[in-house]
Amino acid sequence: MELLAAAFSAACAVDHDSSTSESDARDSAAGHLPGSESSSTPGNGTTPEECPALADSPTTLTEALQMIHPIPADSWRNLIEQIGLLYQEYRDKSTLQEIEARRQQDAELQGSADGSPASEDTPEEEEEEEEPASPPERRALPQICLLSNPHSRFNLWQDLPEIQSSGVLEILQPEEVKLQEAMFELVTSEASYYKSLNLLVSHFMENERLKKILHPSEAHILFSNVMDVLAVSERFLLELEHRMEENIVISDVCDIVYHYAANHFSVYITYVSNQTYQERTYKQLLQEKAAFRELIAQLELDPKCRGLPFSSFLILPFQRITRLKLLVQNILKRVEESSEREGTALDAHRELEMVVKACNEGVRKMSRTEQMISIQKKMEFKIKSVPIISHSRWLLKQGELQQMSGPKTSRTLRTKKLFREIYLFLFNDLLVICRQIPGDKYQVFDSASRGLLRVEELEDQGQTLANVFILRLLENADDREATYMLKASSQSEMKRWMTSLAPNRRTKFVSFTSRLLDCPQVQCVHPYVAQQPDELTLELADILNILERTEDGWIFGERLHDQERGWFPSSMTEEILNPKIRSQNLKECFRVHKMDDPQRSQNKDRRKLGSRNRQ
């Protein structure tokens, strides 16, 4: 009954134009449901004392009570069974449709504005005028259409036969319907993920022929703790299904997400941290074991796999934990501000963010250690030796530049001996300047702390000095100031070096943290995998603020959902032209990342740390 009360509370917000007393009465009606108990369940209404106008709307209450009711468990089991998409297919379809929805929204707003920016008040006035005249908006599709698939009987929460026949769509506000769709997507996508993960185990890992080909240590590295991940996903999905079975209007799912993220999702960190060794082992097996290569190719041809490669199944857990955070963000954008549901969504998002960061750090730690050892072996010091390997050090960028030498006269500028090659290794806390020598070695002749670097772009450059910038070491290896004039191979390479060498240098455009409500933005329309440490891997539908761009097709951007920065080709993205959409994206992001009471956050962090230590 507590969940019934919670769902009913959400359903009874009937009209934006209702009077204040009526709205308060309907929002707090959950406290009057017979048999309901006082609870902190997210979504519950207010106390009976706060709704004196309850008797003013008996018809609405009666209709609502008839429409809000449980759905038989068999209906949800049928729903899960009818999900025909594997998670890889589901994920691609949903993100592509999200991209297309943004394009349409951008184009519509651009057309309605006739290309002229609107004032802050204009959108509100337009909404107030249009809402009464467009009731079909109640059934408007959200940005992400779910499970669009010819084999599925329905695509959305509002397409479910039980929802269609209940009449509840005529009661719920448009925003509440979108919230229901966002929660429904989280559940159905988890079902699709579980189906794909189960296929990885049953079709690949438990294949008897594969067991005979693989040594136990190889199998352990390849599949890691996937059985633990599968078990957690199964229990997680079961709880989500039970929540949906309790009422056709979903009360909340973020409380369940929070519980699992805080107490059970550590299995994802273990699995994802193994990714470097997993990829290496898989490549070695393909190269060295013909029997393994042939069997995997044969298993991939099975219709169950839908033409998807084995490697796409191996990376499922990392894709899922990242996507789950974005799905909670989507819910958070739609819940009522300052409500209990907003609180549980913020808690769930914060926990998921911690899990994702731990996963990323796990992957980076494995690869960084090996990389630092390799670099250390290649260096020969002409100056006092600097210890390269450090637990807190990692590579940010490396590459060749041309150093200008000789007097800065016009005669010297005409000579081709003006520049000579040097090689830079830039770490998060240290710059090492070398010359490449035979035997794939590097002779170090200078170094400086990264915090003591300054860069300056030359103005009015001629052709000879194109893409040249000045690097100043305020205190180098000899404890003195040194200046280098360096030439890059292109404008983008120059900008990338300057951004990496001096990260606090002002960029052309402002960052997310400036909290301005407009900034050039792009959305990712083609996935991109980072090729260098200063680049950013992009997923479909990622939204990024543009901080810097170059004429030769590179963008330095900041992704909104996690504030990660890096360079990427502009051809992988398309610009969001409408300022209203850009402003909306930023406002939603500010809301997602707003902090609760600091003391409350500190107490939660202590509890989480203790829980994880016990594990």
Side-chain angles (χ1 to χ4, degrees):
M1 291 302 296
E2 292 172 355
L3 289 170
L4 179 62
F8 178 73
S9 175
C12 287
V14 180
D15 256 312
H16 282 305
D17 299 326
S18 298
S19 68
T20 304
S21 61
E22 287 178 333
S23 298
D24 291 343
R26 290 164 187 168
D27 289 340
S28 60
H32 294 270
L33 287 174
S36 63
E37 298 175 2
S38 175
S39 169
S40 60
T41 303
N44 275 359
T46 53
T47 61
E49 290 77 13
E50 296 171 341
C51 51
L54 181 62
D56 295 342
S57 54
T59 305
T60 303
L61 289 174
T62 303
E63 291 174 356
L65 284 169
Q66 291 173 348
M67 294 175 182
I68 310 297
H69 57 81
I71 289 183
D74 288 344
S75 296
W76 292 115
R77 293 194 190 102
N78 291 337
L79 162 65
I80 300 305
E81 290 172 3
Q82 288 184 22
I83 292 177
L85 295 175
L86 292 177
Y87 186 67
Q88 299 94 314
E89 300 171 300
Y90 165 87
R91 189 168 174 270
D92 288 346
K93 284 180 179 289
S94 64
T95 49
L96 287 171
Q97 288 172 348
E98 184 176 1
I99 289 169
E100 189 56 37
R102 283 202 197 110
R103 285 173 176 165
Q104 293 176 3
Q105 191 180 20
D106 198 7
E108 287 170 3
L109 287 177
Q110 281 285 95
S112 64
D114 293 325
S116 60
S119 66
E120 288 292 325
D121 297 330
T122 304
E124 295 180 4
E125 294 172 0
E126 289 176 356
E127 286 176 8
E128 291 176 2
E129 294 174 2
E130 291 177 2
E131 274 187 14
S134 56
E137 187 185 351
R138 291 181 181 274
R139 304 195 183 208
L141 301 184
Q143 287 188 355
I144 304 177
C145 295
L146 304 179
L147 308 173
S148 293
N149 160 30
H151 304 294
S152 183
R153 192 159 55 96
F154 37 73
N155 299 328
L156 298 162
W157 174 81
Q158 60 190 289
D159 291 335
L160 296 172
E162 292 82 0
I163 302 300
Q164 291 284 334
S165 62
S166 71
V168 72
L169 292 173
E170 303 304 324
I171 290 183
L172 297 181
Q173 293 290 336
E175 283 305 310
E176 179 65 30
V177 173
K178 291 176 182 179
L179 174 58
Q180 293 295 312
E181 298 291 6
M183 293 190 287
F184 182 70
E185 179 185 10
L186 189 145
V187 180
T188 51
S189 63
E190 185 66 27
S192 178
Y193 165 67
Y194 175 75
K195 177 177 181 177
S196 295
L197 201 60
N198 193 47
L199 191 60
L200 170 63
V201 172
S202 61
H203 186 61
F204 291 99
M205 190 182 84
E206 295 180 348
N207 182 276
E208 292 300 327
R209 288 174 59 194
L210 189 60
K211 287 180 180 179
K212 293 176 181 178
I213 293 172
L214 293 177
H215 187 275
S217 62
E218 294 171 333
H220 176 69
I221 294 174
L222 204 57
F223 296 104
S224 189
N225 65 325
V226 69
M227 292 300 294
D228 296 335
V229 177
L230 181 65
V232 168
S233 176
E234 184 174 5
R235 296 197 304 271
F236 181 48
L237 178 60
L238 191 61
E239 286 205 36
L240 292 172
E241 287 180 27
H242 286 166
R243 175 62 56 84
M244 295 184 72
E245 288 166 6
E246 290 169 337
N247 206 285
I248 61 174
V249 176
I250 308 166
S251 59
D252 198 1
V253 293
C254 288
D255 56 333
I256 299 174
V257 175
Y258 168 74
H259 171 73
Y260 272 82
N263 300 292
H264 303 291
F265 282 176
S266 58
V267 296
Y268 281 93
I269 301 172
T270 303
Y271 185 93
V272 174
S273 297
N274 182 55
Q275 185 178 344
T276 301
Y277 298 123
Q278 183 187 65
E279 290 175 353
R280 183 187 306 158
T281 300
Y282 180 50
K283 289 177 182 177
Q284 288 176 348
L285 288 169
L286 288 175
Q287 293 171 0
E288 299 170 6
K289 289 192 175 184
F292 174 82
R293 183 170 61 249
E294 292 168 4
L295 178 57
I296 290 297
Q298 182 181 336
L299 292 173
E300 288 175 340
L301 291 174
D302 191 294
K304 294 177 186 175
C305 296
R306 305 286 187 84
L308 295 166
F310 175 52
S311 57
S312 74
F313 289 90
L314 288 176
I315 62 173
L316 282 169
F318 184 64
Q319 289 182 331
R320 180 55 184 170
I321 198 66
T322 307
R323 183 67 179 172
L324 196 56
K325 188 186 83 165
L326 298 181
L327 292 172
V328 170
Q329 283 187 6
N330 197 34
I331 293 171
L332 184 51
K333 294 170 187 175
R334 302 192 182 283
V335 294
E336 312 88 340
E337 289 202 45
S338 303
S339 66
E340 293 224 23
R341 287 198 291 189
E342 184 187 52
T344 58
L346 284 168
D347 289 342
H349 181 265
R350 191 176 297 108
E351 279 293 336
L352 286 170
E353 202 160 45
M354 291 173 65
V355 174
V356 171
K357 285 181 179 178
C359 287
N360 286 329
E361 284 304 311
V363 174
R364 289 168 183 163
K365 185 177 179 180
M366 295 291 187
S367 58
R368 284 171 178 171
T369 302
E370 295 183 350
Q371 187 180 45
M372 297 299 286
I373 293 172
S374 174
I375 292 173
Q376 173 88 43
K377 290 178 179 178
K378 295 179 179 180
M379 286 187 175
E380 295 181 0
F381 285 83
K382 188 177 178 181
I383 57 173
K384 182 180 178 181
S385 179
V386 178
I388 297 299
I389 300 174
S390 169
H391 176 71
S392 59
R393 180 173 294 155
W394 61 88
L395 183 70
L396 294 180
K397 189 172 179 61
Q398 70 179 82
E400 188 177 85
L401 291 169
Q402 303 290 318
Q403 179 192 1
M404 177 180 172
S405 58
K408 303 175 185 178
T409 65
S410 58
R411 181 177 299 177
T412 307
L413 291 176
R414 296 191 190 100
T415 67
K416 293 186 178 180
K417 295 182 180 179
L418 175 63
F419 296 100
R420 59 178 177 176
E421 297 170 354
I422 62 171
Y423 201 94
L424 271 57
F425 288 93
L426 178 65
F427 303 98
N428 62 307
D429 62 345
L430 177 70
L431 172 67
V432 177
I433 306 177
C434 322
R435 289 191 178 89
Q436 198 162 5
I437 57 179
D440 194 24
K441 297 281 187 178
Y442 299 91
Q443 187 180 66
V444 180
F445 66 87
D446 208 351
S447 66
S449 169
R450 188 179 178 218
L452 298 176
L453 304 178
R454 300 294 183 268
V455 294
E456 179 184 344
E457 186 175 353
L458 292 184
E459 298 180 1
D460 301 324
Q461 300 173 6
Q463 185 175 358
T464 306
L465 292 182
N467 308 319
V468 172
F469 66 98
I470 295 172
L471 170 64
R472 288 192 175 89
L473 283 56
L474 301 184
E475 185 177 310
N476 72 349
D478 296 327
D479 297 327
R480 59 184 178 81
E481 185 173 331
T483 301
Y484 294 89
M485 187 173 286
L486 303 175
K487 180 180 176 69
S489 59
S490 64
Q491 185 198 39
S492 59
E493 190 64 13
M494 178 190 71
K495 293 279 189 183
R496 288 171 66 166
W497 270 112
M498 293 177 70
T499 302
S500 298
L501 288 164
N504 296 324
R505 173 179 163 269
R506 290 189 64 183
T507 53
K508 184 175 181 181
F509 303 105
V510 296
S511 72
F512 168 84
T513 52
S514 69
R515 304 190 79 81
L516 293 180
L517 292 183
D518 197 16
C519 174
Q521 286 177 6
V522 292
Q523 70 168 334
C524 173
V525 295
H526 302 289
Y528 179 71
V529 178
Q531 305 298 310
Q532 296 183 33
D534 66 334
E535 293 180 8
L536 189 62
T537 293
L538 302 182
E539 299 284 349
L540 285 172
D542 278 352
I543 301 178
L544 305 102
N545 276 355
I546 299 175
L547 304 183
E548 192 78 74
R549 66 170 78 192
T550 67
E551 296 176 0
D552 53 351
W554 284 84
I555 292 174
F556 181 58
E558 182 177 52
R559 187 163 46 216
L560 291 192
H561 76 74
D562 59 6
Q563 283 81 67
E564 287 285 331
R565 292 183 177 190
W567 291 89
F568 51 88
S570 59
S571 57
M572 300 294 106
T573 64
E574 63 183 23
E575 190 157 358
I576 298 172
L577 300 175
N578 192 283
K580 294 180 186 177
I581 302 298
R582 296 195 298 265
S583 177
Q584 176 185 325
N585 292 336
L586 286 172
K587 286 177 181 177
E588 289 176 348
C589 208
F590 296 153
R591 184 181 178 190
V592 165
H593 291 281
K594 75 178 181 180
M595 298 300 293
D596 281 353
D597 177 69
Q599 186 62 42
R600 179 186 174 209
S601 298
Q602 289 175 10
N603 292 336
K604 285 190 174 187
D605 289 342
R606 292 192 194 102
R607 291 199 301 271
K608 295 165 193 169
L609 184 59
S611 172
R612 283 176 182 156
N613 288 339
R614 288 192 295 274
Q615 291 177 0

